[in-house]
Amino acid sequence: MSSFIASKKDYEVNFFKEGGFERKTCPVCKVPFWTTNPDQKTCGEAPCSTYKFLEGRSWQKRFLTYEMREVFLRFFEKRGHGRVKRYPVVARWRDDLFLTDASIVDFQPFITEGLVPPPANPLCISQPSIRLKDIDKVGLTHGRHLTIFEMMAHHAFNRPDKKIYWKNRTVELHHEFMEKELKVPCELITYKESVWEGGGNAGPCFECIVEGLETATLVFMEYKVLNGKYIKIPMKIVDTGYGLERFLWLMNATPSSFQATYTWLVDKFRQLLGIEKPDDKLLLETAKISGEMGKIELGEGIRKLRSHMARKLGVSISYLEEAIAPVENLYTLLDHTRCLSFMLVDGLIPSNVGEGYLGRLVLRRAIRVLLRTRSDVPLSELIDLQVKYWQREFPEFKEEHQKILEIIELEVSRFMKSLDKGKRLIKKLFKKYSGNVFPLSEAIILYSSHGIPPEVMKEEAERERVKVDLPDNFYEIVASSHYSEKPKLERSIFEPYEKQLKGTPQTELLYYEDPYIDEFKAKVIKKLRVNGENWVVLDKTAFYPEGGGQPSDKGYLKIKNQRIPVLRVQVYREYVLHNIGETWLPIGAIVHGKVDFKKRRRHMAHHTATHILIGAAKRVLGSHIWQAGAQKGEETSRLDISHYKRVSEKDRKKIEKLANKIVMENRPVKSYFMERSTAEQRFGFRIYQGGVVPGKKLRIIEIPGWDVQACAGTHCRTTGEVGPIILLKTENIQDGVERIIFSAGEPAINYMQSLETVLHEISSKLKVPKGQVLPVVLKQIGYLKELSKEKEKTELELFKCKAANLLEKPLKHRSLEIVVDTVTGKDIKYLINYAAVITKMNLETLAFLVNVKQKETEFILLAGEKLVSKGFNCLKVGSLLSKSLSATGGGKIDLYQGAFKGKALGIDKLKEKLIKSIENSGFSL
């Protein structure tokens, strides 16, 4: 909810005065609106009014999605707007958002702040957008709320020196589109006054309504929101949003926007889900008053609103729910599967972090709704239909078809496994709350950490007699807590010194002019004392400052005969600052700079290798690959990539081979600066692999035909200069992210030579040629395995003999028999195997084995099966014993392992402590 307040003057538009519009106030919502209809009493928007457009009108005409989109875009093209292609639904160009939730997001913040020119001005676009703040309302309101929708829009960016158009022309264009293009009668078009705020901007707006349905919003952005204050900005931006699905619903007059948007897909889904064809008359009558469900936004409960609707329809609430609930499930699945399809086609990988978390939230909610229908149709089959449905309008769907299905199948499998684990976890957790209310905060943690849906919590709560009172909008609460949590950049240590730096000339960056420069002359133009260290700004420098995962250069500054080490280099705004430790240099001093070029050369090779590898990974693993992080070093570097499964050894070798092919082709590595909007239009948003890059202009690093990125790092002139690239290993560092650790150039050669040395040593020891080492080693391993088996057999016989003797004279505590033994220098596997033999020979026995080592003493407790059934708990007894011994340990009901350091206690002392622990545990036979 915005706190922005607009004045009456903000809504006075000449078009209204000249067109005979009257300003009225709605008696229901108390909001002013503009209309030419003298008989109109309310603002006309549901729930202040019903959906009258569903009654059927002569001006209504059937449209398909691509037809409506094209009508809109052509209308505005004819009126001087440049058509712009859609942006991805994953907002890679934003450091404050995960998902694209409106068309204006495409142009924030650089264009809206006037730093970068727009791709066209004015422009029109049809932007798929995702908003999860209403996810729990999807299906309930017949299409008023969606997770994914297409925002058709026209935008104008008015600068102080160049006006495009403002309020009057915006309203005029909207009215002309409605009245002339779509033939909607003027008296049915209402303009409701409102305000809008988002993405750091705000302004007054008009909500455009036709017979109960809001179809568009016309926003006039003229404020920037800074620390809760609204500051006028020099740019005046027309930000409109015409909901494609709303327009389809309006023109097709279908019972919901879903029939208008998905046409034949609705019936196909319904048949697959085994949902009976609903009563068309009831469905239409329900749809007419479905605007009532919009009161959910005001906090009213679903059941209360349903009851109200049932009374209006003259049916019982149970009848209405039985008839409508399956249709609502159908609508929800249509929406969620489309949302997932767009997320995945644009490179989102479901995970527990970032945009992947939001993708997984939608996916798991879709699975729960699917389970609710009791259908056995796989979610991947529904996604398959969505991909086929949209590939005509979005060709990228065809290219990514199989990858999308593979991700869905993997995620469903993971979810079902997590459900089984989750139910066991819930049972343990609910014991703490038996007879009490399970708090919402704990429920959110359960979902966020373990993926346990609220429906499962409620099911288990009934069994465990715990009250779980979760709100209807549970998923919305979870999504909103995560929705815009992109980590902010750390504050620079130089921020407090900004005033001191102001007015200092910009540093000339020699490392961009020629990354092979390692010596230069420069003048000290600023000095700072920061956190007890001295920093200097030079008028020019060849020292590369830390950034983009590349460490800063090192070297020295020479003045007269003194060499001053440069310990590290950082950039702040347009200044490059050199850390010179405790040494002090006067302003105006002329210094001779010398870069440690061996270090720089290795950083360059590894940085260019990173670009080569991301291109190779994308071609081997799929276009969804996105850089999730990188760090360049001298010996090794790492590249983190988004991927939905482990990188196989086969794929690792393919990536390595392909990367070295590009090295051997000796392709040029081009670097140049380009206007941001031009680069985005020409190369797309893959240029932001390394993250969002600030500034009007971007430095582009291009390996022609292979990879293009916005990058500030230093690079080789050609791929051949990188040298060999070796992928040392891959590892999974977090859900949905794989790490590739690699070496390039001279360090890669060193690594290969070290392997060669090892191979040479092995072949010498085995006295076989290098080419025959593997079969000989495998043969030796097989021989060792056989010896190990023989050893285990011998040990087993030994255990049986020892166990038989010990069972004849056990330690007795009341009716409990305990077999005690001490061994020296064995491993834990030996102890467990030994104890297992004892407890199998007597199922009511407790085995207590002690293993004395040089620096610590280990012990285990293993209870026989019958002893456990009588209530003996090894975990409880073992925990008490560990406490008395100052030991560490852990286990479960039938097995406990512990260890304590220091001098070993005598066996008699240990027996006493064990008996005491058993007594304190409360166990008795």
Side-chain angles (χ1 to χ4, degrees):
M1 184 69 71
S2 175
S3 57
F4 174 73
I5 300 173
S7 68
K8 181 180 175 182
K9 192 176 179 182
D10 286 318
Y11 302 101
E12 292 174 353
V13 178
N14 284 337
F15 179 80
F16 291 156
K17 294 176 184 176
E18 295 166 4
F21 281 80
E22 183 182 356
R23 188 176 190 258
K24 299 181 178 183
T25 298
C26 178
V28 182
C29 66
K30 314 299 182 189
V31 175
F33 63 93
W34 297 81
T35 179
T36 58
N37 184 351
D39 300 323
Q40 185 172 332
K41 299 290 187 284
T42 72
C43 66
E45 183 183 13
C48 299
S49 173
T50 59
Y51 288 149
K52 294 178 182 177
F53 72 94
L54 293 175
E55 295 170 6
R57 303 293 187 230
S58 59
W59 47 266
Q60 287 173 326
K61 175 187 172 185
R62 185 173 180 271
F63 279 94
L64 296 172
T65 50
Y66 69 89
E67 291 170 336
M68 178 59 75
R69 186 188 302 115
E70 197 57 30
V71 163
F72 175 86
L73 293 172
R74 281 184 181 173
F75 174 87
F76 283 96
E77 275 187 309
K78 286 176 184 176
R79 287 153 184 80
H81 293 68
R83 184 187 295 209
V84 175
K85 290 180 181 178
R86 81 167 182 100
Y87 283 44
V89 297
V90 181
R92 306 284 190 191
W93 62 97
R94 296 286 297 266
D95 59 10
D96 58 339
L97 283 177
F98 293 118
L99 301 172
T100 307
D101 61 6
S103 59
I104 195 64
V105 167
D106 301 347
F107 313 110
Q108 290 172 323
F110 300 106
I111 293 172
T112 56
E113 290 185 7
L115 300 173
V116 175
N121 199 8
L123 62 81
C124 58
I125 189 171
S126 193
Q127 176 61 48
S129 305
I130 295 175
R131 290 181 189 170
L132 303 186
K133 67 185 183 73
D134 294 319
I135 190 170
D136 290 299
K137 302 179 185 75
V138 173
L140 300 174
T141 56
H142 289 245
R144 175 170 172 159
H145 297 96
L146 305 167
T147 63
I148 183 165
F149 59 95
E150 207 166 315
M151 185 179 281
M152 305 185 297
H154 58 99
H155 296 284
F157 303 90
N158 298 284
R159 301 176 66 93
D161 58 341
K162 187 176 182 182
K163 185 177 178 181
I164 307 300
Y165 62 78
W166 192 225
K167 295 177 184 178
N168 198 65
R169 179 60 176 159
T170 303
V171 177
E172 185 180 50
L173 283 167
H174 170 267
H175 210 80
E176 187 182 351
F177 178 70
M178 299 297 290
E179 193 177 14
K180 300 291 194 296
E181 193 72 37
L182 300 183
K183 312 301 181 189
V184 179
C186 179
E187 64 271 17
L188 299 183
I189 306 169
T190 302
Y191 294 89
K192 184 178 176 181
E193 295 178 8
S194 187
V195 295
W196 178 90
E197 184 176 324
N201 297 110
C205 72
F206 290 113
E207 293 173 355
C208 309
I209 300 150
V210 178
E211 297 207 289
L213 184 67
E214 182 190 344
T215 54
T217 307
L218 313 177
V219 179
F220 306 102
M221 281 171 44
E222 49 186 325
Y223 294 91
K224 183 176 182 177
V225 186
L226 197 63
N227 299 324
K229 294 182 180 179
Y230 298 91
I231 302 162
K232 277 264 189 181
I233 54 175
M235 293 276 287
K236 291 184 182 294
I237 300 159
V238 173
D239 169 25
T240 69
Y242 294 57
L244 172 64
E245 295 77 9
R246 298 279 183 103
F247 274 91
L248 289 169
W249 194 7
L250 175 72
M251 298 306 292
N252 288 280
T254 48
S256 77
S257 71
F258 295 97
Q259 287 88 347
T261 304
Y262 298 97
T263 61
W264 60 264
L265 200 57
V266 177
D267 269 341
K268 186 66 178 175
F269 265 47
R270 183 182 60 75
Q271 290 161 12
L272 283 171
L273 295 168
I275 296 171
E276 290 184 15
K277 195 173 190 310
D279 181 329
D280 288 338
K281 186 179 177 183
L282 177 66
L283 199 58
L284 189 60
E285 290 304 312
T286 305
K288 285 178 184 177
I289 60 171
S290 64
E292 288 284 334
M293 295 301 282
K295 289 179 181 176
I296 295 173
E297 294 172 358
L298 305 175
E300 291 199 29
I302 292 171
R303 190 163 180 82
K304 181 181 175 183
L305 291 169
R306 279 244 178 85
S307 179
H308 184 59
M309 289 175 71
R311 283 197 303 273
K312 280 193 172 184
L313 293 167
V315 298
S316 68
I317 186 170
S318 59
Y319 174 80
L320 181 63
E321 286 187 332
E322 191 176 328
I324 295 300
V327 180
E328 290 172 347
N329 289 336
L330 168 63
Y331 292 163
T332 303
L333 285 168
L334 281 162
D335 170 88
H336 286 15
T337 50
R338 178 190 177 197
C339 181
L340 285 166
S341 299
F342 270 89
M343 284 175 160
L344 297 179
V345 83
D346 282 349
L348 181 145
I349 299 298
S351 69
N352 288 332
V353 294
E355 63 273 3
Y357 178 93
L358 297 172
R360 183 167 280 172
L361 183 143
V362 177
L363 194 149
R364 292 188 168 183
R365 189 172 191 272
I367 296 170
R368 289 302 302 172
V369 175
L370 182 56
L371 291 172
R372 204 186 298 155
T373 67
R374 302 188 184 281
S375 167
D376 57 2
V377 62
L379 182 65
S380 58
E381 192 170 334
L382 301 180
I383 295 281
D384 182 52
L385 287 168
Q386 283 281 9
V387 172
K388 288 172 180 173
Y389 186 81
W390 293 105
Q391 64 188 23
R392 175 184 171 183
E393 298 170 52
F394 301 94
E396 57 268 35
F397 274 75
K398 191 171 185 178
E399 296 165 18
E400 304 298 330
H401 194 159
Q402 291 309 311
K403 178 205 77 180
I404 291 171
L405 297 185
E406 186 182 357
I407 293 174
I408 292 294
E409 286 166 1
L410 272 171
E411 279 295 307
V412 171
S413 172
R414 287 168 182 162
F415 178 62
M416 299 314 290
K417 287 176 184 174
S418 75
L419 268 188
D420 292 336
K421 289 181 182 176
K423 286 177 181 177
R424 293 194 293 272
L425 178 66
I426 287 174
K427 283 179 182 176
K428 289 180 183 177
L429 191 59
F430 278 3
K431 282 177 182 175
K432 290 191 213 171
Y433 294 93
S434 184
N436 296 312
V437 177
F438 187 65
L440 174 62
S441 57
E442 287 281 358
I444 290 172
I445 291 169
L446 265 183
Y447 177 81
S448 300
S449 303
H450 304 283
I452 302 167
E455 299 89 341
V456 174
M457 295 182 210
K458 289 176 182 177
E459 289 165 10
E460 293 300 320
E462 287 179 18
R463 297 189 186 97
E464 300 294 329
R465 292 180 300 159
V466 173
K467 188 179 178 184
V468 175
D469 188 17
L470 300 180
D472 294 333
N473 63 337
F474 177 83
Y475 285 98
E476 293 172 6
I477 293 169
V478 173
S480 64
S481 68
H482 184 84
Y483 201 70
S484 57
E485 290 181 355
K486 276 200 173 179
K488 303 297 180 187
L489 294 175
E490 288 183 21
R491 282 186 64 187
S492 170
I493 61 169
F494 302 110
E495 200 170 311
Y497 302 89
E498 190 163 346
K499 283 185 180 178
Q500 288 176 248
L501 286 166
K502 194 173 181 181
T504 305
Q506 183 174 333
T507 307
E508 184 183 341
L509 310 179
L510 300 175
Y511 52 81
Y512 280 163
E513 293 174 17
D514 182 359
Y516 290 81
I517 289 177
D518 63 342
E519 293 192 50
F520 65 99
K521 277 189 178 180
K523 183 196 290 185
V524 177
I525 57 174
K526 195 72 180 178
K527 57 184 181 179
L528 292 175
R529 180 82 173 167
V530 180
N531 297 337
E533 295 180 307
N534 295 323
W535 297 77
V536 293
V537 180
L538 307 177
D539 64 343
K540 63 185 74 169
T541 187
F543 284 97
Y544 178 78
E546 180 184 357
Q550 181 175 328
S552 73
D553 286 332
K554 290 186 178 181
Y556 61 82
L557 298 175
K558 188 175 180 183
I559 182 169
K560 297 180 181 177
N561 294 322
Q562 185 184 9
R563 283 189 179 186
I564 302 165
V566 174
L567 306 175
R568 65 184 187 279
V569 187
Q570 291 192 15
V571 65
Y572 179 68
R573 300 195 185 281
E574 63 268 34
Y575 314 114
V576 178
L577 294 105
H578 307 69
N579 184 308
I580 55 173
E582 291 300 317
T583 313
W584 197 245
L585 282 170
I587 291 176
I590 303 299
V591 294
H592 177 90
K594 180 74 172 74
V595 176
D596 181 342
F597 195 71
K598 182 182 178 183
K599 189 184 290 287
R600 157 78 71 81
R601 181 72 181 76
R602 289 187 172 188
H603 289 164
M604 287 165 61
H606 279 108
H607 205 147
T608 305
T610 303
H611 288 226
I612 294 170
L613 281 171
I614 198 77
K618 187 172 71 171
R619 285 161 178 82
V620 172
L621 302 175
S623 61
H624 63 280
I625 292 298
W626 199 272
Q627 182 176 312
Q631 185 62 48
K632 295 84 183 178
E634 285 185 74
E635 299 297 325
T636 62
S637 293
R638 60 172 170 80
L639 169 64
D640 300 338
I641 56 172
S642 57
H643 192 43
Y644 52 91
K645 61 181 181 179
R646 290 304 321 274
V647 175
S648 67
E649 179 61 14
K650 183 180 178 183
D651 284 338
R652 185 195 69 80
K653 287 179 178 177
K654 280 184 180 179
I655 295 168
E656 185 178 79
K657 188 173 183 179
L658 192 52
N660 281 292
K661 180 176 180 288
I662 299 304
V663 169
M664 289 184 286
E665 287 176 5
N666 200 29
R667 297 191 187 194
V669 179
K670 299 179 178 179
S671 67
Y672 49 88
F673 286 87
M674 182 179 280
E675 290 286 343
R676 176 182 291 276
S677 55
T678 306
E680 289 177 352
Q681 290 295 307
R682 184 177 298 178
F683 301 120
F685 295 97
R686 285 201 166 272
I687 58 174
Y688 298 126
Q689 288 287 343
V692 181
V693 182
K696 297 179 183 180
K697 288 191 173 184
L698 302 178
R699 181 169 177 263
I700 300 295
I701 299 297
E702 180 185 6
I703 302 173
W706 191 253
D707 182 73
V708 183
Q709 291 185 42
C711 178
T714 56
H715 287 271
C716 301
R717 292 192 186 100
T718 67
T719 58
E721 290 181 7
V722 172
I725 299 173
I726 303 295
L727 271 60
L728 306 175
K729 67 174 180 176
T730 65
E731 57 190 23
N732 178 252
I733 60 163
Q734 70 181 45
D735 203 15
V737 178
E738 291 287 298
R739 173 166 290 172
I740 297 172
I741 298 172
F742 67 95
S743 200
E746 186 182 336
I749 294 170
N750 294 341
Y751 176 76
M752 287 187 285
Q753 287 181 342
S754 69
L755 292 183
E756 173 67 22
T757 301
V758 170
L759 182 61
H760 177 77
E761 288 294 320
I762 294 170
S763 69
S764 297
K765 297 288 183 187
L766 295 175
K767 297 180 180 178
V768 295
K770 291 175 185 175
Q772 294 177 24
V773 163
L774 182 59
V776 171
V777 168
L778 291 175
K779 186 178 178 181
Q780 293 295 322
I781 290 171
Y783 175 64
L784 289 171
K785 282 182 179 178
E786 288 299 319
L787 283 177
S788 180
K789 286 178 184 177
E790 289 298 320
K791 181 188 173 191
E792 285 177 6
K793 284 180 184 177
T794 305
E795 275 184 350
L796 184 60
E797 292 304 316
L798 176 64
F799 292 157
K800 285 178 180 177
C801 290
K802 291 178 76 175
N805 289 330
L806 291 168
L807 284 165
E808 288 180 6
K809 42 183 179 180
L811 169 67
K812 288 193 175 184
H813 174 61
R814 299 193 180 115
S815 300
L816 174 63
E817 293 188 350
I818 308 167
V819 171
V820 182
D821 198 8
T822 305
V823 296
T824 305
K826 301 295 183 181
D827 58 29
I828 199 69
K829 185 181 175 184
Y830 180 95
L831 287 183
I832 292 172
N833 289 342
Y834 183 9
V837 170
I838 295 167
T839 54
K840 279 177 185 173
M841 291 175 72
N842 186 334
L843 300 179
E844 294 187 58
T845 296
L846 173 67
F848 177 49
L849 303 182
V850 180
N851 181 27
V852 181
K853 290 186 171 181
Q854 192 173 356
K855 293 184 178 179
E856 68 174 3
T857 301
E858 294 177 335
F859 64 89
I860 71 162
L861 294 171
L862 186 68
E865 191 177 315
K866 286 187 178 180
L867 184 60
V868 172
S869 69
K870 290 178 179 179
F872 191 88
N873 189 323
C874 285
L875 178 58
K876 196 171 184 180
V877 173
S879 299
L880 290 167
L881 180 58
S882 286
K883 190 175 180 181
S884 70
L885 293 169
S886 299
T888 57
K892 47 189 180 177
I893 195 167
D894 62 340
L895 173 65
Y896 187 88
Q897 301 175 41
F900 57 92
K901 296 188 183 300
K903 190 177 178 182
L905 296 174
I907 195 65
D908 291 335
K909 192 73 174 172
L910 288 173
K911 287 177 186 178
E912 284 176 26
K913 288 184 176 288
L914 174 61
I915 297 298
K916 189 73 175 171
S917 299
I918 292 169
E919 289 172 350
N920 291 339
S921 74
F923 173 77
S924 63
L925 280 173

